[in-house]
Amino acid sequence: MKMNHVGIMVGDMDQAVEFYTKALGLKIVMNNTKVIEERETAIGCMCIAVFGEGFKGFNIAHLVTTDGIGVELFEMKQRQERHNVDFSRLGIFHFCLQTDDFEGAIARTEQYGGKVRMDIMRYHPEDDTKPAKMVYLEDPFGNLFELYSHTYEETYASDYE
């Protein structure tokens, strides 16, 4: 099994595309595109099946990370305000990106309207041979994401060097 993409609800498509490309370095595959409720195309029928009758349409953009994982941004025409994260609920609550420019990505996150949720943490502070760092951040719309300095395996494996 491979990870293909993640879908993220945003409040302003132009701001979201700017944030994910300029702050986090993702590349645009398909820029801001309008999707309307209709039954003539496979996409239209799929959207009705997923969002239900009367979803009123949305804007969508497709971005990609440097390792080919897609990030699908959705801006619904009808939407609620920014959500409050409820950590007692089941479901996905964040995604994680990895970068070689850890501090730069954090600075750009704030520069483009995101937030830093915590101090940078090292997973193995007692062992200088294991420098993996992480931090939780937010995009401008309150979506949580984590930033890693090393791969998932390097971060958690007990024997990496």
Side-chain angles (χ1 to χ4, degrees):
M1 190 69 64
K2 293 182 181 181
M3 184 71 162
N4 185 279
H5 73 275
V6 61
I8 302 170
M9 294 290 189
V10 300
D12 179 302
M13 186 59 75
D14 292 332
Q15 183 183 14
V17 170
E18 179 182 54
F19 178 82
Y20 282 95
T21 58
K22 293 185 178 174
L24 301 179
L26 277 63
K27 183 179 88 174
I28 296 171
V29 174
M30 185 180 88
N31 210 340
N32 191 356
T33 302
K34 293 192 182 316
V35 176
I36 60 169
E37 182 176 350
E38 48 85 11
R39 293 185 178 277
E40 287 74 46
T41 66
I43 295 296
C45 292
M46 185 261 316
C47 288
I48 291 170
V50 171
F51 298 114
E53 297 277 347
F55 70 85
K56 306 293 184 214
F58 57 89
N59 292 321
I60 191 168
H62 296 273
L63 311 177
V64 69
T65 64
T66 57
D67 62 342
I69 305 301
V71 174
E72 205 171 13
L73 302 175
F74 293 84
E75 178 192 23
M76 303 303 286
K77 285 187 179 178
Q78 288 184 317
R79 65 179 179 272
Q80 297 178 3
E81 290 304 310
R82 181 175 150 167
H83 71 283
N84 291 318
V85 178
D86 179 355
F87 295 105
S88 67
R89 294 189 62 168
L90 296 178
I92 296 170
F93 77 93
H94 78 276
F95 61 94
C96 185
L97 299 171
Q98 178 190 329
T99 182
D100 293 331
D101 183 16
F102 197 77
E103 283 75 15
I106 293 168
R108 289 187 305 276
T109 293
E110 291 183 305
Q111 176 185 351
Y112 287 96
K115 281 188 194 174
V116 177
R117 295 282 303 235
M118 61 178 282
D119 291 335
I120 295 169
M121 186 182 106
R122 281 192 48 214
Y123 275 99
H124 306 282
E126 71 290 343
D127 187 347
D128 288 336
T129 67
K130 297 178 180 182
K133 297 182 284 188
M134 62 79 62
V135 64
Y136 270 90
L137 306 165
E138 274 184 30
D139 74 5
F141 314 101
N143 295 302
L144 289 176
F145 66 97
E146 202 172 2
L147 190 64
Y148 275 19
S149 62
H150 288 71
T151 69
Y152 192 78
E153 289 180 291
E154 289 171 329
T155 300
Y156 293 104
S158 57
D159 60 353
Y160 95 88
E161 295 182 18

